């Protein structure tokens, strides 16, 4: 097992995305317009991208990869905007909302199994068991 990949690509992002939910709630509690919120979030993302682009020699791109990256940014931005609306306009607690929108794992897994044929390289029993646990956990948190 590649523990470095698990830590760098899984555990650290989980920590950062968890902090993201809290910062999202903190920002909306301090009276920021949602358009400006998204612009500020975009500045943060752009800063990270520029720093990585300047520091590393990983500058490969083509039209198709750029289009996918723009589509990813668009779906991420829309999802972030909707989550922020849930926090700011509907008063959802971050402790309920974040576990619900992080059930996105199920969508990503299903699409990965289908589009990239990842079903050939995973244990479907363990995957289904994990998916059921995610749904049960999300349901419990939503009803807490």
């Amino acid at each position: 097992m590649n523990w470095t990949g698990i830590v760098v690509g899984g555990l650290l992002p989980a920590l950062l995305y968890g902090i993201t939910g809290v910062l999202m709630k903190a920002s909306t509690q301090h009276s920021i317009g949602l358009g400006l919120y998204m612009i500020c979030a975009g500045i943060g993302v752009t800063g990270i991208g520029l720093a990585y682009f300047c520091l590393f020699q990983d500058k490969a791109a083509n039209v198709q990869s750029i289009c996918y990256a723009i589509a990813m940014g668009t779906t991420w931005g829309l999802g972030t905007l909707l989550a922020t609306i849930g926090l700011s306009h509907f008063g959802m607690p971050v402790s309920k909302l974040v576990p619900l929108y992080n059930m996105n794992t199920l969508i990503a897994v299903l699409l990965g199994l289908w589009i990239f044929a990842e079903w050939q390289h995973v244990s479907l029993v363990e995957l289904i068991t994990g998916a059921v646990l995610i749904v049960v956990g999300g349901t419990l948190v939503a009803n807490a």
Side-chain angles (χ1 to χ4, degrees):
M1 184 176 304
N2 184 345
W3 287 104
T4 303
I6 288 173
V7 170
V8 170
L11 297 178
L12 291 175
L15 173 67
L16 293 169
Y17 289 142
I19 293 168
T20 297
V22 172
L23 293 172
M24 183 187 301
K25 176 85 175 195
S27 183
T28 62
Q29 286 182 326
H30 288 90
S31 301
I32 190 169
L34 294 183
L36 182 57
Y37 171 82
M38 293 302 295
I39 290 168
C40 292
I43 290 169
V45 171
T46 300
I48 295 294
L50 283 172
Y52 190 90
F53 184 80
C54 292
L55 292 172
F56 297 96
Q57 297 302 312
D58 185 15
K59 295 174 177 48
N62 58 52
V63 172
Q64 187 176 20
S65 66
I66 290 170
C67 289
Y68 281 131
I70 291 169
M72 187 286 303
T74 302
T75 58
W76 176 85
L78 184 56
T80 299
L81 177 63
L82 293 172
T84 307
I85 289 171
L87 291 169
S88 62
H89 292 329
F90 297 103
M92 290 296 301
V94 71
S95 59
K96 284 189 177 190
L97 199 61
V98 172
L100 289 174
Y101 71 65
N102 277 319
M103 288 197 308
N104 66 59
T105 303
L106 301 173
I107 305 300
V109 167
L110 288 173
L111 290 174
L113 292 171
W114 175 49
I115 294 171
F116 302 118
E118 291 177 354
W119 57 269
Q120 298 172 8
H121 308 288
V122 298
S123 168
L124 290 178
V125 172
E126 291 173 357
L127 192 65
I128 291 169
T129 302
V132 168
L133 291 172
I134 290 170
V135 170
V136 168
T139 303
L140 288 172
V141 168
N143 291 317

